[in-house]
Amino acid sequence: MSEDEYDAFQSQDPSSYDLTLDPEQIRALGHQIVDLTINHLMTLRDRPAISVATNEQLHAQLGGPAPEEPGNISSDLNLLANVALENQQHGDHPRYFARVPSPSSFAAIAGDWLATGMDSVASSWGGGSGPSAIELITLEWLRDRIGLNPQCEGIMLSGGSMASITALITARNIKGEGCIYLSDQTHSSITRGIKAIGIPDALVRVIPTDKDLRIDVAQLREQIAVDRNSGFVPTVVIATAGTTNTGAVDDLEIIAEISETENMWFHVDGAYGGPAALTARGKAVMPGLARANSFVLDPHKWLFSPYDIACLWISDPGALEETFAMYPEYLKDVSDGTVNFHNRSLELSRRSRAIKLWLTIRTYGFNKIGAAIDRGIVLAEYAETVIQSTPELEVVTPAQLGIVTFTFNEPCDLAAIARELTESGFAALTTTSLKGQEVLRLCIINPATTELDVSETLKRLVQIYHLRADKSVESVV
Ligand SMILES: Cc1ncc(COP(=O)(O)O)c(C=O)c1O
């Protein structure tokens, strides 16, 4: 830069580059955000569980020429709330039963606000000791409450996909490359992750599931034996604690035994169902978690946190650092209990996802959180009884960890029925495919859901079914 240019730069009016806002304006904007959020939470039940606009509509309202000059932040906050944030799936809606809901609690929302407001960072201990300690403490609380191996060390990541990839990269680093075993019900993010980290298809074994859609352990044993006889080295077995399709839990005790005998890494994907281990009912269907080499759960699913947050634990102390540390000095991390979280995954700069979870646990306590999780388990069981007593419906898989699947007892277009109910705005639900059979599926994990929400949703599905059947008869006549 020439001297003249520098002088011109220096003589600029500071207000032309000053990004700070007046404290009173910040306070008013903060109140506006709180009001918009309260309005969202208080009116949610009466708004659609999911809204989708076209790209054209959204561009018309949110786009336009790239702004060159300052705009009006207050009216843009309203625009964001009313247009951008309205047009999405409301996973916190009490009748959002599709895919996996995300019933976040206000404590978690408040924690996330504060963490963002204070630019939280949990990368190195030196640069983020407070947020890093919060992450360690929260992971320890959950580890002990769930009953994982007390030696487990962990890290928080963006979601189940990244948490399982991180576990599998670690497993490969410790065990070397070899065969990986999973089931036909393993979440697709894991199969994608395996591909993405460069494990060839020739080393991946998809074991069929039994009639309960749990990994068939006899076939697992057989396949391991076949592979050993053919010169392959079995290294990793992946079980699911709460499949996305049906909530089924693989036989963790037997799979733990197999992996111990075979000297394999035992990974448990509890991204969906894992939080249920915080309740007595959930724990009862997940014996063997303490034997997992790695375990994942997603608080943005069933632990009342807004997106995004997943927890990963690894039972082998130092394994994460051994895999991900950027510098050999990583051993310093483990010597005094402090942790540089950038040495535990592929993320270097990282916000503190733990703050919202720490605040959730402090605000409600584990007893209340457990009761809120239990409520989902019980509501799905209630849905099952309503389905059983509805002549047009039949249960396909029983209520398991908040999920029940079902169908109509006459052939019909299930996807169209689910779509019609979803488009009505009353509730959102989806179909899924169980070994080629299409079924309707309810995932009920929001403690704000009532029995009436469930029964009315089923009633409306049946009404749509009859109306469609009548119309098709009319069209034939
Ligand atoms: C069992 C299971 N594993 C993994 C995932 C992927 O999690 P995420 O979407 O948080 O990456 C999901 C998502 O629904 C899941 O249900």
Side-chain angles (χ1 to χ4, degrees), residues 45-49 93 95 97 386 390 392-393 406 408 414 416-429 440 442 452-468:
R45 176 172 276 290
D46 305 316
R47 304 204 325 272
H93 191 292
R95 292 184 300 278
F97 303 126
V386 178
T390 306
E392 292 87 345
L393 296 174
F406 58 105
F408 283 91
L414 295 176
I417 294 172
R419 201 166 44 244
E420 201 170 322
L421 180 63
T422 303
E423 283 170 1
S424 79
F426 180 76
L429 78 164
L440 289 160
L442 289 175
L452 188 61
D453 287 326
V454 172
S455 59
E456 187 62 26
T457 298
L458 291 166
K459 195 170 119 193
R460 290 183 187 214
L461 274 178
V462 172
Q463 279 168 353
I464 294 170
Y465 162 80
H466 283 303
L467 282 171
R468 291 178 62 86

Side-chain angles (χ1 to χ4, degrees), residues 72-101:
N72 182 322
I73 182 170
S74 177
S75 57
D76 279 346
L77 282 172
N78 288 334
L79 184 66
L80 283 172
N82 297 331
V83 179
L85 297 167
E86 185 59 20
N87 281 295
Q88 58 171 359
Q89 65 182 46
H90 295 294
D92 47 354
H93 191 292
R95 292 184 300 278
Y96 183 86
F97 303 126
R99 303 175 197 108
V100 180

